[in-house]
Amino acid sequence: MPDSVKYLLDEARIPKAWYNIAADLPVPLPPVIHPGTKRPIGPEDLAPLFPMDLILQEVSTEREIPIPDPVRDIYRLWRPTPLYRARRLEQALDTPARIYYKYEGTSPAGSHKPNTAVAQAFYNKQAGVRRLTTETGAGQWGSALAMACQFFGLECTAYMVKVSFEQKPYRKVMMQTWGAEVIPSPSERTRAGRDILERDPRSPGSLGIAISEAVEDAATHEDTKYSLGSVLNHVLMHQTVIGLEAKQQMEMAGDYPDVVIGSVGGGSNMSGLTFPFLRDKFNGNAVRVVAVEPEACPTLTRGDYLYDFGDTAATTPLLKMYTLGHSFIPPAIHAGGLRYHGDAPLLCLLYHHKYVEAVAYHQHPVFEAAVQFARTEGIIPAPEAAHAIRKAVDEALICKRDGMSRTILFNLSGHGHFDLGAYEAFLAGKLEDYAYPEEQVERAMRELAAIQP
Amino acid sequence: MPDSVKYLLDEARIPKAWYNIAADLPVPLPPVIHPGTKRPIGPEDLAPLFPMDLILQEVSTEREIPIPDPVRDIYRLWRPTPLYRARRLEQALDTPARIYYKYEGTSPAGSHKPNTAVAQAFYNKQAGVRRLTTETGAGQWGSALAMACQFFGLECTAYMVKVSFEQKPYRKVMMQTWGAEVIPSPSERTRAGRDILERDPRSPGSLGIAISEAVEDAATHEDTKYSLGSVLNHVLMHQTVIGLEAKQQMEMAGDYPDVVIGSVGGGSNMSGLTFPFLRDKFNGNAVRVVAVEPEACPTLTRGDYLYDFGDTAATTPLLKMYTLGHSFIPPAIHAGGLRYHGDAPLLCLLYHHKYVEAVAYHQHPVFEAAVQFARTEGIIPAPEAAHAIRKAVDEALICKRDGMSRTILFNLSGHGHFDLGAYEAFLAGKLEDYAYPEEQVERAMRELAAIQP
C-alpha cells in the first residue's frame, strides 16, 4: 500500500501577496453600520483601535496585497506548512476518495492564528504603536498574538476569560513565556470590568466581557491599539496564505479538489483555505466549499442573516452576518474556538448567496473522527479542526457508497496538545452532546429587531 | 538584519541507512555481562525480550544498516525535520557565533522518540509479535511507542509510573488516543507489581518498578516482547537519522560545526545527532562533542565508569557505564527525561576516552535559556532540550568574549507543550535548584563494588 504522502513547498513559494477576495465578490458586501447613527462607518471611526494600514486593508478592493518582507521572514519559521495526502485514513475508510489536508499546527503557537497575528503586529509596530490589547478565551489567539508581539518588540496585554485563566493555565503560561501580560477578565483595569465586578464580584467572565475590556484599554491609551483574531476582512485575508500554498501543493500532487472543507468559529481558518479556491468558483469552477460548525452553536445552519454586534457587550459596530444573537452564550463544548454567536461577514455573504455550504455536527461524532484520524495519520487534532475531519470522512464515505473517486481537501488548523482533557472525556464515554439551545437562541434573536438599520 | 533561516531537505534525502558507530569505534566496547555468571551475555539471552533483528543490530559492526521502506514511509510523515540557523537568538546574544539547531519536535509525539519507536514496532511486527510492553515515566517514550504500534497494528501496554499517571494525565490520554493500554505501576498485573503493593499498597511507583513490570509481562507471554526507548546500541543507532540529516543540512548552509551539543538522559537524542559527526572526529576532524546533563543527576560529570544494572530493580544484565548507582533516585527536576542513574554504554565509552565532553547545569539557568529561546526563535522547548540550549548559549557568549566566530549546532529534541507547569514555576520564581545529592549517590555507589565482574 502506498503510504501517506507529504507535499512540501520550497520556501521561495511562500506567497508574496495575500489574496483579497473583495476584488472578486460576485455580490457586494453590506457596509459596516454605526449602531448610533445607523449609517456606514468610515475609516476614521476605526482609527482609535487599528493602525491605518490595517483599516485600509479592511476596505481595500485590490486583488493582491503584498506581504511585507519582515512578515514573510517570520512566516518562514514554520511556513510553507505541509499538505498531506491521507492515504492511511483512506485505507481505513476503504474509500475510493482522495483525501488531502493542509496542516497549520506546525507554527510554534500550534495553529493558523500566527498568520494574522504576525501581520497585525508588524503594521502596528510600523505605525509606532507601543502595545497591543486583545481578548482570549482558552488562549489560542492570545498565545499567537503574544508570540507575534515578542517578535516585533511590542508589548501585549491579553484579557483572558477568568474561568479559563483559572482552570486552563497552560495557554496562559505560554503567553507569559512569550512575554505577554495576561489579565483575568473581568478585571479592575477597565471601567467595563469594574462595572461587572460591582454587580457580580465572582463573575467567571466571558469572551464578550474580555472584548469590552481590551477595546476600552486600547481606546483610552494613546500608544495602544486593539487586535482581533478572526471575523474582520483583513484577518481573513492574512489567512489566505493557507489556501495559496495549498493550491500550489495540489498542483504538485497533480490534483484539484472537488470539495474544500473548513471548520468555522469566526471564519478565519476556513476562509484562509477556501477563498483562493472560491476565486476559481467565481470563474466557473465547480468546486464545492463547505463550512463545518458545532450543533451547539450552529450560526450558519440555524441563524438569521441580520445586522448584529460583534461582541456580547454590544460595543462594536454592527456587522451583517448570520447570527444567533450577540447575547447568546453557547454551551461549553470542547471546541472553544467555535463558540461564536456570529461569523465573518465575508463568509456569511458567500453562504447567503450559496457559494458556500454549511453543516453542523455534535461533538461525539467529531471526536470519533478525531481519534480515527490520530490512529491513522498520527497527528492528534484540535477539536475545532476535527469538525472539518468529520465532514471530510463523511464525504469520503459517500464516495465509497457511490463508488465515486472524488478529491477532498480540508484544513487541519491546529493540533490538540492543549485539548487532551477533551479526549480523556471522550475515551471515558463522558462526552456530552449538547442539544441545539433553541430557547436561548430565540431569546437572543428577539433583541435583534431593534438594532436593524 | 537577516532573519532566522530554515534549512529543509527534500524527502528523497531522508537517510536510507542508519549509521552504526560500532563499525568505527577507536576503542572496543566492553561486553554486556550476565549478573549471575559474570560472563558476557549472548544473543539468546536477549531473545525472550527482543526480536532477533533488533538483537543482531545490537551486536552488529556493519557501518550501515538499511532502513526498511515501511519505516522510511512513516518517517516521511514528519521527516526530514528542519534545521534552523538561529539568527534571532544570535542577535539577542550579540554574538559573532553562528548557532544552528536541529528540531525534532515536529513528530506527532513531539520529540525524537518515534525515530526508534517506529523501527522497533516494525521489526517486532515482522517477527510475528502481537504486543509490545514498555515502561514510561511522564509519558514521552510511551506515547511515541503507542503511536508506532498503532501504525503497525501491534497492541501496546505501557506501565506508567503511578504518580505520573495520576498527576500528569495528558500524556496518558495521548497514549490512549493512539490505542495503547496504560497501566499505573505498580500494578496487580505482575508478580513484581504485586510484591511492591504487598509491602506498600500506596507506593507512588518508580521507573525502576515499571521496567520490572514491563520486562516480566513480556518474558511471561509468548506473543509479547519488550521495548526500550534509550540506552541500548540499536536505539541510539535508530536516532542517527537526526545527525545524518543535519550533516546534509549543514552542507546546504555551507557550514560545519565546531561544536555539537545534545542533552543526555539515557543518551539517545544526543547520540542521534552527534554520532555521524563523531565519525568525522575519528577521522581527524577537530569537532567538539558535548553532552549536557542536569546538576541533580550528573552521571557523566560525577559518576564512575563501572558495571551496573540498567534498572533500579536490578533485573537487567550489567552494562559498563558512567553511573550514580542503580538505587539512586534523582530529585524531581522538571526535565524528567534526564533523570536516569546511568547513560548509554556507547556514549560512556566515548566520554571515557575523551571523544565527548560533558557539562552539568542547574535547572534555573536552563529555564532562563529556554525562555530566551522561546522569545527569540518562537518554539517553546522541552526542559530536557533546554539543557542543550543553555550550553549553546554559553558557547556563543564565549565567542562574544573572545571575538571569535564559531559554528555551534545543538539538538532541540522536543517541544515543551506538556511542560508548561515547569515554565509557570520558573516565571513565578518558584523553581527549585536541587543541590547535587552527594550522600544519596555515595550510598548507591557503595552497592556497586559487589556486582563488578
Side-chain angles (χ1 to χ4, degrees):
Chain A
M1 215 267 312
D3 219 306
S4 292
V5 183
K6 181 175 64 187
Y7 296 94
L8 267 182
L9 291 177
D10 191 87
E11 273 187 7
R13 294 174 74 185
I14 294 175
K16 294 195 168 60
W18 293 296
Y19 169 56
N20 182 13
I21 200 169
D24 294 317
L25 288 177
V27 278
L29 185 68
V32 176
I33 297 290
H34 191 288
T37 65
K38 300 278 166 97
R39 298 173 63 108
I41 62 165
E44 67 290 349
D45 291 308
L46 297 172
L49 294 184
F50 302 105
M52 198 44 70
D53 279 343
L54 289 177
I55 294 171
L56 294 176
Q57 288 183 4
E58 187 66 18
V59 298
S60 169
T61 52
E62 291 289 320
R63 184 169 291 113
E64 298 201 321
I65 308 272
I67 304 177
D69 280 341
V71 173
R72 283 185 90 237
D73 281 343
I74 292 185
Y75 281 174
R76 281 192 296 120
L77 292 178
W78 69 91
R79 304 205 73 86
T81 62
L83 180 133
Y84 288 91
R85 166 92 184 266
R87 282 190 190 263
R88 302 176 62 88
L89 177 62
E90 291 169 19
Q91 191 194 32
L93 297 171
D94 189 24
T95 175
R98 292 182 299 280
I99 306 175
Y100 296 84
Y101 63 96
K102 179 75 168 165
Y103 183 42
E104 290 290 308
T106 57
S107 79
S111 79
H112 66 293
K113 292 291 187 191
N115 295 331
T116 185
V118 169
Q120 292 189 48
F122 168 78
Y123 289 112
N124 275 285
K125 182 70 181 182
Q126 287 278 102
V129 173
R130 185 181 63 81
R131 184 170 67 102
L132 284 182
T133 69
T134 198
E135 71 287 337
T136 195
Q140 188 100 331
W141 164 244
S143 58
L145 191 67
M147 182 184 79
C149 284
Q150 185 67 44
F151 283 149
F152 289 105
L154 286 167
E155 291 177 31
C156 178
T157 302
Y159 290 88
M160 184 173 190
V161 176
K162 193 178 274 176
V163 62
S164 296
F165 182 93
E166 286 165 357
Q167 290 177 5
K168 297 186 175 179
Y170 287 162
R171 285 254 178 213
K172 170 193 76 184
V173 178
M174 215 168 175
M175 290 184 258
Q176 291 168 335
T177 299
W178 281 319
E181 176 188 39
V182 187
I183 314 279
S185 166
S187 76
E188 296 283 350
R189 281 281 184 101
T190 63
R191 155 163 254 150
R194 288 190 298 271
D195 282 355
I196 299 278
L197 288 172
E198 202 166 297
R199 289 200 303 273
D200 177 9
R202 300 171 67 184
S203 164
S206 74
L207 209 52
I209 297 167
I211 294 179
S212 305
E213 291 208 279
V215 167
E216 179 185 328
D217 184 341
T220 55
H221 291 91
E222 190 69 39
D223 56 359
T224 300
K225 299 282 183 197
Y226 168 70
S227 174
L228 193 65
S230 190
V231 178
L232 300 180
N233 304 343
H234 69 273
V235 179
L236 273 49
M237 185 186 73
H238 298 156
Q239 294 293 354
T240 59
V241 287
I242 303 171
L244 293 168
E245 285 181 7
K247 280 184 91 165
Q248 298 181 69
Q249 288 162 310
M250 290 302 296
E251 221 174 278
M252 281 173 76
D255 212 339
Y256 188 93
D258 295 300
V259 53
V260 189
I261 300 165
S263 62
V264 172
S268 79
N269 97 70
M270 192 268 182
S271 302
L273 176 65
T274 63
F275 279 5
F277 291 98
L278 276 165
R279 183 181 177 188
D280 296 348
K281 192 176 177 75
F282 300 153
N283 291 324
N285 190 299
V287 59
R288 291 168 52 214
V289 175
V290 185
V292 191
E293 55 186 21
E295 189 63 58
C297 188
T299 317
L300 294 171
T301 52
R302 305 250 206 170
D304 282 344
Y305 191 44
L306 291 170
Y307 272 97
D308 196 1
F309 292 102
D311 67 325
T312 315
T315 61
T316 70
L318 293 170
L319 306 167
K320 182 84 180 268
M321 59 184 176
Y322 279 82
T323 177
L324 301 169
H326 62 272
S327 66
F328 166 62
I329 307 285
I333 53 168
H334 288 286
L338 306 188
R339 295 175 67 234
Y340 184 61
H341 69 276
D343 277 331
L346 274 170
L347 182 59
C348 291
L349 175 77
L350 294 168
Y351 174 67
H352 191 67
H353 291 279
K354 304 204 188 317
Y355 292 95
V356 171
E357 307 165 30
V359 62
Y361 286 111
H362 281 297
Q363 57 183 354
H364 208 90
V366 165
F367 274 89
E368 264 171 17
V371 169
Q372 182 172 38
F373 185 82
R375 290 185 182 177
T376 50
E377 296 294 317
I379 299 165
I380 297 179
E384 290 84 357
H387 283 72
I389 299 176
R390 176 74 260 173
K391 178 60 177 165
V393 166
D394 283 356
E395 288 283 328
L397 292 176
I398 290 170
C399 289
K400 179 182 179 180
R401 185 196 65 195
D402 298 348
M404 296 268 296
S405 172
R406 291 199 193 87
T407 298
I408 300 162
L409 168 64
F410 71 89
N411 196 11
L412 187 67
S413 58
H415 61 63
H417 296 173
F418 300 99
D419 304 287
L420 287 167
Y423 281 87
E424 187 169 32
F426 172 73
L427 293 168
K430 290 178 182 164
L431 201 70
E432 199 177 336
D433 273 344
Y434 298 94
Y436 168 58
E438 196 155 355
E439 272 181 49
Q440 292 94 308
V441 170
E442 277 177 12
R443 200 177 319 129
M445 296 287 281
R446 277 197 294 274
E447 297 171 20
L448 297 188
I451 59 173
Q452 297 311 302
Chain B
M1 217 267 314
D3 219 305
S4 291
V5 183
K6 180 174 64 186
Y7 296 95
L8 267 181
L9 290 177
D10 191 86
E11 272 187 8
R13 294 175 74 185
I14 294 175
K16 294 195 168 61
W18 293 296
Y19 169 57
N20 182 13
I21 200 169
D24 295 317
L25 288 177
V27 279
L29 186 66
V32 177
I33 297 289
H34 192 289
T37 66
K38 301 278 167 97
R39 297 173 63 109
I41 63 165
E44 67 289 349
D45 293 309
L46 297 171
L49 294 185
F50 302 105
M52 197 45 68
D53 278 345
L54 289 177
I55 294 171
L56 293 177
Q57 288 183 4
E58 187 66 16
V59 298
S60 168
T61 52
E62 290 289 319
R63 184 169 290 114
E64 297 202 322
I65 309 272
I67 303 176
D69 281 342
V71 174
R72 284 185 89 237
D73 281 345
I74 293 186
Y75 280 176
R76 280 191 295 120
L77 292 177
W78 68 91
R79 306 206 70 85
T81 61
L83 180 134
Y84 288 90
R85 166 91 184 265
R87 282 189 190 264
R88 302 175 62 88
L89 177 63
E90 291 169 18
Q91 191 193 31
L93 296 171
D94 188 23
T95 176
R98 294 182 298 280
I99 305 175
Y100 296 84
Y101 63 96
K102 179 75 168 164
Y103 182 42
E104 290 290 307
T106 57
S107 80
S111 78
H112 65 294
K113 291 292 188 191
N115 295 331
T116 184
V118 170
Q120 292 188 48
F122 168 78
Y123 288 113
N124 275 284
K125 182 72 180 179
Q126 287 278 101
V129 172
R130 186 181 62 81
R131 184 170 66 103
L132 284 182
T133 69
T134 197
E135 71 286 337
T136 195
Q140 188 100 333
W141 164 244
S143 56
L145 192 66
M147 182 184 80
C149 284
Q150 186 67 44
F151 282 149
F152 288 106
L154 286 167
E155 293 178 28
C156 178
T157 303
Y159 291 88
M160 186 173 188
V161 176
K162 192 178 274 174
V163 61
S164 296
F165 182 94
E166 286 164 357
Q167 290 177 3
K168 297 188 174 177
Y170 287 161
R171 284 255 176 210
K172 171 194 74 184
V173 178
M174 216 169 175
M175 289 184 257
Q176 291 168 335
T177 299
W178 281 319
E181 177 188 38
V182 188
I183 314 280
S185 166
S187 77
E188 296 283 349
R189 282 279 184 104
T190 64
R191 154 164 255 152
R194 288 190 298 271
D195 282 354
I196 300 278
L197 289 171
E198 203 165 296
R199 290 200 301 272
D200 179 8
R202 300 173 67 184
S203 163
S206 75
L207 208 52
I209 297 167
I211 294 179
S212 305
E213 291 208 278
V215 167
E216 180 186 328
D217 184 341
T220 55
H221 291 90
E222 191 70 36
D223 57 358
T224 301
K225 299 281 182 198
Y226 168 72
S227 175
L228 193 66
S230 190
V231 178
L232 299 180
N233 303 344
H234 69 274
V235 179
L236 272 50
M237 186 187 71
H238 297 155
Q239 294 294 354
T240 58
V241 288
I242 303 171
L244 292 168
E245 285 181 8
K247 279 183 91 165
Q248 298 180 69
Q249 288 162 309
M250 290 301 297
E251 220 174 278
M252 281 173 77
D255 212 339
Y256 187 93
D258 295 300
V259 54
V260 189
I261 300 165
S263 63
V264 172
S268 79
N269 97 69
M270 191 268 182
S271 302
L273 175 64
T274 63
F275 279 6
F277 291 97
L278 276 165
R279 184 181 177 188
D280 296 348
K281 191 176 178 75
F282 299 153
N283 290 324
N285 189 298
V287 58
R288 289 169 53 215
V289 175
V290 185
V292 192
E293 54 186 20
E295 190 62 57
C297 188
T299 317
L300 294 171
T301 50
R302 305 249 208 170
D304 281 343
Y305 192 43
L306 292 170
Y307 273 97
D308 197 1
F309 293 102
D311 67 323
T312 316
T315 62
T316 70
L318 294 170
L319 307 168
K320 183 86 180 269
M321 58 185 177
Y322 280 82
T323 178
L324 301 169
H326 62 272
S327 66
F328 166 62
I329 307 286
I333 52 168
H334 289 286
L338 305 188
R339 294 176 67 235
Y340 184 61
H341 68 276
D343 277 331
L346 275 170
L347 182 60
C348 289
L349 176 76
L350 294 167
Y351 174 67
H352 191 66
H353 291 279
K354 305 204 185 318
Y355 292 93
V356 171
E357 307 165 30
V359 63
Y361 286 110
H362 281 297
Q363 56 182 353
H364 208 90
V366 165
F367 274 88
E368 265 172 17
V371 169
Q372 182 171 38
F373 185 82
R375 291 184 180 176
T376 49
E377 296 294 316
I379 299 165
I380 297 179
E384 290 83 357
H387 283 72
I389 299 175
R390 176 74 262 172
K391 179 58 178 167
V393 165
D394 284 355
E395 288 283 329
L397 292 175
I398 290 171
C399 289
K400 179 181 177 182
R401 184 198 63 195
D402 297 349
M404 296 268 296
S405 172
R406 292 201 192 85
T407 298
I408 300 162
L409 168 64
F410 70 89
N411 195 13
L412 189 67
S413 57
H415 61 61
H417 297 173
F418 299 99
D419 305 287
L420 288 167
Y423 281 87
E424 188 170 31
F426 172 72
L427 293 168
K430 290 178 182 165
L431 201 69
E432 198 176 335
D433 273 342
Y434 297 94
Y436 168 58
E438 197 157 351
E439 273 181 48
Q440 292 96 306
V441 170
E442 277 177 12
R443 200 177 320 128
M445 296 285 281
R446 278 196 293 272
E447 298 171 19
L448 297 189
I451 60 172
Q452 296 311 302

